Amino acid sequence: MTNRISLPSDQDATGRTFGPEELEAVRQCLATGTLTSTKGNFVKQLEASFAAKIGAKFAYACSSGTAAVHCAVAALNPEPGDEIITTPITDMGALTPIIYQGAIPVFCDVDPHTYNVTAATIARCISPRTRGIMVTHLFGNPCDMGPIMELARQHGIPVIEDCAQSYLTTYRDQYVGTIGKIGCFSLQQGKHITTGEGGIVTTNDEALARRIFLFINKAWGYGDANADHYFVAPNYRMSELLGAVAVAQLARLDAVVESRVRTAAALTTALAGVPGIETPVITPNSVHTFWKYCLRVDESVIPGGTVALGAALKDSGILCAPRYIQKPAFECQVIKNQVTFGTSRWPFTLARPEATDYSRCNFEGAWNALEHVLVLPWNEKYTDEHITYLAENIRNAVKLLTTKEVVRN
Ligand SMILES: *Cc1c(COP(=O)(O)O)cnc(C)c1O
C-alpha cells in the first residue's frame, strides 16, 4: 500500500495560483477608483488579450460561463420555439440560457468513448426549426469539428462552441472557440483559469459581436448617436476587479495547459496494460487540454464498474466522480418536468413532440457514457509523485476488485 497523500484541489490554494501578479493588478485597479468595465481598462485589456491569444476577432468578458452561453444564444436571436441542438452531458449552465431565450434544447446523443456529440448524432436532430448547434468540447477534448462544420454548412446552421472545459484545446491546429460562429468560456472556480465566477464570449463575426456586446450591456447602444435600449437584455458585465485578476490569470494559461497535458500523458503511460480501463480517447489531429482525466471502466472485467472503482479510489482520498453528472440533463427536473416560468412550461409548450422525446433508445451513447465514465480530478499542480500515486492506487484498486471476483467464483 502506498502512503496516503492529498492531491491539489481546484477549490482552494492547493490547486489554484493567485500570486503577486493578481494582487498587484487588483491593487492597481482599486487605486484607479473605477470598478465598472464601462469606464475602466482591465476588462478591455482581458478582452483584447484573450482574442489575440486564441486568434478570434472579438472577445467579450461577462459574469459567468452561463452568461457567455446566454449571450451566444441571444446573439442568434431565435424565435420562440426554435431549436438549439446540444448535448445531454453538460453543465446545466449551458442549457438554461436556451430556455431563457425561449428556445428548445434538443438533445442529441454522444459517442460513448469521447463523450462528445458527433456529426452523425447531430444530423439525426436537425429539423426545419433548428436555429443553432451547440457543441461542447467535454473535459478538454474537442468534438470532431470537421464533419460537424461540414454538416452545419450544408444546412446553413450556426455553430456555438461551449469551451468552458477546453481552454487552448486545438482541432487541426485551430483553437476551439474560433471554429464555429461563437465560442463560450467560463472562469468559474474549477476551470483552467479562474476569477471565481466569470465568462468570455468569442466570435469572428462583426454583427454577432455587436449583439453579444449589447446583450451584456442591457442592449444600451454605448457610443451611438441616438443611443437607446434596443431589446431585452440583462447586465452581464464583468467588474474591473475580476478583469484585473483575469488578465493575470490569462498570463498563466500556457503553463497551466502545458502541465495538465504533460501529466495526463504520464498517467496514460503509467496505466498501460491495466485490465478493464480505457484511457482517454483523444480526437484525431487534436490537443486535449485535460480539464479532467476520464477513465472508461469495463464492468465485465472490473466487477461493479465505475462505481466500485470510484469508491475504492475515494478511500485513498482521490475525489473522483463515477458517472460524472450521474444522469443525462433531460432527466433533471427543470427539463423533465418543464419547470420554467410560473406554471406555463413555456417555451416547451411550443416544442414539436419529437424535440422533447427523451426515450432511452435515442440516447444509447449518453447512457452508456455515464454508466462507464470515471472522472479523475485534474490539476496543473500535479507532480510526478501525484501521478505515481494515482497510477498505483488505480492499479491496486483494479487488482483488488478483479481478485475479489475470482474468490467469489
Ligand atoms: C462550467 C460550465 C458551464 C457554466 O459555466 P459557469 O461559469 O459555471 O456559469 C457551461 N458549460 C460547461 C461545459 C461547463 O463546464
Side-chain angles (χ1 to χ4, degrees):
M1 270 279 140
T2 42
N3 284 329
R4 195 181 163 123
I5 61 173
S6 66
L7 295 165
S9 161
D10 60 22
Q11 300 303 297
D12 57 45
T14 60
R16 302 279 79 176
T17 306
F18 303 115
E21 295 83 356
E22 280 81 0
L23 257 182
E24 175 56 19
V26 169
R27 192 198 61 74
Q28 280 180 20
C29 177
L30 286 171
T32 66
T34 304
L35 301 189
T36 172
S37 62
T38 58
K39 301 290 191 304
N41 281 316
F42 284 98
V43 168
K44 287 187 185 74
Q45 193 188 330
L46 168 68
E47 291 171 342
S49 305
F50 193 76
K53 180 75 197 162
I54 69 164
K57 259 198 195 147
F58 306 93
Y60 295 100
C62 57
S63 53
S64 68
T66 304
V69 171
H70 199 172
C71 291
V73 174
L76 300 185
N77 202 19
E79 295 297 325
D82 277 356
E83 300 168 2
I84 309 278
I85 296 172
T86 186
T87 173
I89 304 184
T90 187
D91 185 280
M92 192 49 72
L95 302 174
T96 46
I98 297 172
I99 301 167
Y100 269 108
Q101 278 314 107
I104 312 295
V106 175
F107 295 101
C108 67
D109 205 6
V110 305
D111 179 304
H113 295 271
T114 63
Y115 321 111
N116 277 335
V117 299
T118 68
T121 65
I122 293 166
R124 291 203 291 271
C125 295
I126 291 177
S127 87
R129 299 225 56 181
T130 306
R131 186 71 191 84
I133 295 166
M134 194 185 304
V135 301
T136 303
H137 308 295
L138 208 66
F139 305 124
N141 188 33
C143 298
D144 191 4
M145 291 303 284
I148 290 174
M149 292 308 294
E150 183 49 38
L151 176 73
R153 247 188 309 273
Q154 280 166 11
H155 291 268
I157 302 169
V159 173
I160 297 169
E161 293 176 85
D162 184 343
C163 309
Q165 306 182 358
S166 55
Y167 280 91
L168 302 191
T169 295
T170 61
Y171 177 84
R172 295 182 186 162
D173 295 324
Q174 198 177 350
Y175 285 122
V176 299
T178 66
I179 301 170
K181 282 278 185 204
I182 306 177
C184 303
F185 294 80
S186 165
L187 292 161
Q188 194 268 335
Q189 177 75 37
K191 305 299 161 89
H192 284 79
I193 52 172
T194 184
T195 56
E197 307 291 349
I200 303 174
V201 195
T202 55
T203 186
N204 287 325
D205 182 302
E206 196 161 348
L208 290 173
R210 174 70 177 161
R211 280 194 66 87
I212 291 162
F213 169 81
L214 287 170
F215 196 73
I216 291 171
N217 287 284
K218 306 173 213 172
W220 176 254
Y222 285 93
D224 288 4
N226 293 303
D228 197 352
H229 294 284
Y230 301 128
F231 52 83
V232 62
N235 172 356
Y236 273 163
R237 288 192 288 263
M238 173 182 279
S239 99
E240 284 289 282
L241 281 173
L242 295 192
V245 175
V247 166
Q249 285 280 292
L250 184 56
R252 302 187 191 281
L253 184 56
D254 281 328
V256 165
V257 166
E258 187 275 332
S259 170
R260 285 172 177 254
V261 171
R262 185 182 55 79
T263 53
L267 183 62
T268 297
T269 303
L271 292 178
V274 178
I277 59 169
E278 180 182 278
T279 52
V281 175
I282 302 177
T283 304
N285 307 307
S286 301
V287 175
H288 180 330
T289 57
F290 290 92
W291 178 60
K292 304 286 181 196
Y293 183 108
C294 295
L295 294 173
R296 201 186 130 86
V297 184
D298 181 351
E299 75 282 359
S300 73
V301 177
I302 300 172
T306 181
V307 171
L309 183 56
L313 293 179
K314 281 179 188 174
D315 287 343
S316 316
I318 298 166
L319 298 174
C320 54
R323 303 178 56 95
Y324 184 40
I325 55 170
Q326 307 305 313
K327 55 189 181 185
F330 51 71
E331 288 284 301
C332 292
Q333 285 183 41
V334 47
I335 291 164
K336 192 175 172 181
N337 302 341
Q338 305 180 339
V339 188
T340 56
F341 304 96
T343 55
S344 71
R345 296 162 65 177
W346 190 91
F348 289 105
T349 43
L350 308 172
R352 295 178 303 122
E354 311 82 64
T356 55
D357 177 1
Y358 307 134
S359 305
R360 199 180 168 102
C361 60
N362 295 333
F363 298 99
E364 297 292 357
W367 284 105
N368 184 304
L370 294 178
E371 279 156 15
H372 292 91
V373 72
L374 179 66
V375 182
L376 297 177
W378 213 244
N379 200 274
E380 58 275 13
K381 287 189 173 174
Y382 281 2
T383 62
D384 293 347
E385 188 196 8
H386 296 129
I387 299 304
T388 304
Y389 184 74
L390 282 166
E392 282 184 7
N393 278 285
I394 293 165
R395 274 181 187 280
N396 289 342
V398 168
K399 202 177 290 171
L400 202 72
L401 290 165
T402 47
T403 349
K404 257 192 206 156
E405 180 70 349
V406 172
V407 170
R408 207 172 57 203
N409 290 347

